[in-house]
Amino acid sequence: KTYRLDAAGIQQLSDYDYICQLQRNETRVAAIKALKNKAPGKALRIACLLHLTHCQAADDYPEEVPAERLAQAITLVEALDAWAASFHATAALNASDANALADRQRIAERIHSIAAKHKGYVPWSTIRQSLKAAEKKGISAAMARVTLQHLCDMGIGSIKEGKRGGIEYRAVGPFP
């Protein structure tokens, strides 16, 4: 049996593929480029697996995979790829930048305190400008994304895509 995305799912996959292309072009780390190249295909395969799981539970096998399954798959792929990207970004750091990684918790706290001084979402570029020169060393765009995601996972912040495609962070609670 052949399964296909519904119209909304096709548009969602196209949009996700475009975002992945932009993210791929932003990084210099070859492994992260490879992750971004493969992400839309992984999301499509996982969406189909999720669809089949739901079909099995309902004992009904429609050929059309709803956009909701693709959205769930994209969420899973993004989480897994962010985890993998953090390792590749770390490996890409040179020896002098590795010290910044050792201070990750301190940097996360500093980033959070800078954002907490603002009322809403703060673009990463504004946060970066507020860091001291020594704090900026070793913080690539990939490491910034991982650190901001870590703060979100802690439940003390939230991130969103800015108007121009950059990442924005908002402190929503005190740093523990």
Side-chain angles (χ1 to χ4, degrees), residues 25-102:
N25 293 337
E26 285 178 1
T27 185
R28 293 185 205 139
V29 181
I32 296 174
K33 285 181 185 270
L35 284 172
K36 290 302 171 185
N37 281 337
K38 295 173 183 153
K42 288 190 289 188
L44 184 59
R45 288 187 293 278
I46 291 171
C48 191
L49 290 171
L50 289 171
H51 178 65
L52 289 172
T53 302
H54 284 272
C55 290
Q56 179 74 28
D59 198 28
D60 181 31
Y61 293 85
E63 292 179 359
E64 200 164 77
V65 178
E68 176 188 343
R69 304 283 182 270
L70 182 62
Q72 294 166 339
I74 288 171
T75 300
L76 178 61
V77 168
E78 284 294 302
L80 294 172
D81 284 358
W83 180 77
S86 69
F87 288 106
H88 292 294
T90 301
L93 295 175
N94 64 35
S96 66
D97 293 336
N99 291 334
L101 186 61

Side-chain angles (χ1 to χ4, degrees), residues 99-153:
N99 291 334
L101 186 61
D103 296 334
R104 183 175 173 179
Q105 189 71 9
R106 186 184 55 77
I107 293 295
E109 185 172 3
R110 177 86 166 107
I111 288 169
H112 186 75
S113 70
I114 291 167
K117 293 176 185 173
H118 295 80
K119 292 186 187 217
Y121 283 91
V122 185
W124 168 246
S125 58
T126 302
I127 295 171
R128 185 169 170 75
Q129 288 171 356
S130 299
L131 294 173
K132 297 174 187 166
E135 293 171 327
K136 291 178 189 178
K137 273 189 138 186
I139 300 181
S140 64
M143 286 302 297
R145 282 188 185 276
V146 170
T147 302
L148 295 176
Q149 185 60 55
H150 173 70
L151 290 167
C152 290
D153 293 344

